[in-house]
Amino acid sequence: DDGAFVEWRWDGQQLVVENDRHGFHPLFYSCIGQEIWVSTSMDGVLRGNARRGLDLAALAVFFRFGQFIGDDTALEDVRFFPPNSTLVWRDGVVTLTRRPEPTAVVNPRGLNFDDAVDAYAELFAQAIARRLPDDDRFTVPISGGRDSRHILLELARQGRVPASCMTVKYRPPATNEDNRIARLLTERLGIAHVQLDKPASFFDATRQDVFLTNYCGGGHGWIQPVAGYLSGRFETTYDGLAGDELSALLIPGDPKLTLFRDRRLNELAAQLLDETRQEQANENLLAGAVYQRMPRGLAIERMTQELKNHADSHSPVVSFNFWNRTRRCIASIPFAILSGVPLVHCPFLDHRLFDFLIGLDPALIAGKGFHDAAILRAYPEFADIPFEDKSLKAAWTPADRHYYRRSRVEMLAYLARQQSRARATLNPGWLLAKTLVDVLRNVAESPWYMRNAVYAIELQALIER
């Protein structure tokens, strides 16, 4: 009852499909006429008779927000299976129902900060105890943050120390803080530390991300070296999915909470879409006809609909982030990209722990202090090891410039091969000029336009099949 799963049963006349409480595992479905297709991949569904019509409202959000929300996909006739649901198909008729949420086992209402910290530490320990590895072929990819550290230290406290951990080198201008902090932790625990280089090709990783996420996006190219390293070496790994989203509001006093409470949802939708600063970029990048079919107003309308689903939640910001950013974006890492590992544990999704964290007073988890306190109190012998400082920026090196210059050259070659699709979806004149200028100037920044450009072309290839 406490895990991620999808299952279906067919008796020759009736199909029943169900998933788990959180619905993080990819599952797509399409029902047209007398056919229904259900698959853990978008391609699997499209082997059926699903039409390739675009969901313009969903894409209007995607190109501005960087991901899909709710149960949207890029196609009108293909949906992402909703959480905690049962689908029944019989004689061409679909009935989809959401099952009732289970009664919370742990109610954190009214706890003060100290008692809540103690409860968090204990519930997390129980979550790990229910997910101890069966043998020594397990590992924990480690960063300089909180979620992976919490997992690693609790495993060690319960006597299950992996032989090695690994950390991927960040792309510039981010520093190598993750590796520095991870090495401090692993040296203290006597664990071998493997530093993995960033993807050999930023362009290839960007393109591969489209397929690995089933055309749902997310910008997960950076994790691909970890996925490649883990596959075939380990039977079990651990992922800190939802740790920060449930136990650390990123901005203390987040103004989004006020907008939620005042039900100024249109204003909140506009703010969320504008935070990524993609409007002008999309106007330059996308073909005029494509951009006009996905106006900002359409994106605001779709985002507002989704915000309404969370406005009455106990903690609406946490609820929105969990069911959208975590479920539809970050969950692609453990449940799709890391599929080469037989078992990926996500202990922060443990039902008892989830019930506790989702019910906390938002004021308790403002900033990082609540999660920090739980880790420091549970493992005081590691209190001297700092967390990463994300405000630090690294200086660009000639090798960094060459890395991104090469990705732009690869982008130009790709555009030459995909000319007809580029003309159908993009403004190729602007994109070619921008890419060429950046190549000639050896610009010291990542090609921010590459992700949306590649996605648009590959989506066009999908609908042409």
Side-chain angles (χ1 to χ4, degrees), residues 151 303 381 449:
I151 293 170
M303 180 66 81
E381 64 273 31
Y449 44 84

Side-chain angles (χ1 to χ4, degrees), residues 349-390:
L349 298 183
D350 178 273
H351 287 196
R352 295 171 181 82
L353 181 60
F354 172 80
D355 289 337
F356 171 77
L357 292 174
I358 201 72
L360 285 169
D361 184 339
L364 288 179
I365 60 172
K368 303 283 189 179
F370 179 70
H371 202 178
D372 288 1
I375 294 172
L376 296 174
R377 191 172 300 180
Y379 323 103
E381 64 273 31
F382 296 89
D384 60 307
I385 297 179
F387 295 104
E388 64 175 322
D389 184 350
K390 290 190 175 182

Side-chain angles (χ1 to χ4, degrees), residues 23 52 61-62 87 119 191 194 224 269 319 333 335 364 379 385 397 405 417 421 424 430 459:
R52 282 7 183 225
V61 171
F62 177 88
L87 178 151
I191 300 171
V194 178
Q224 291 173 26
S319 178
I333 294 176
F335 295 115
L364 288 179
Y379 323 103
I385 297 179
T397 67
R405 186 176 188 274
R417 297 191 303 269
R421 289 167 179 156
W430 179 89
L459 179 60

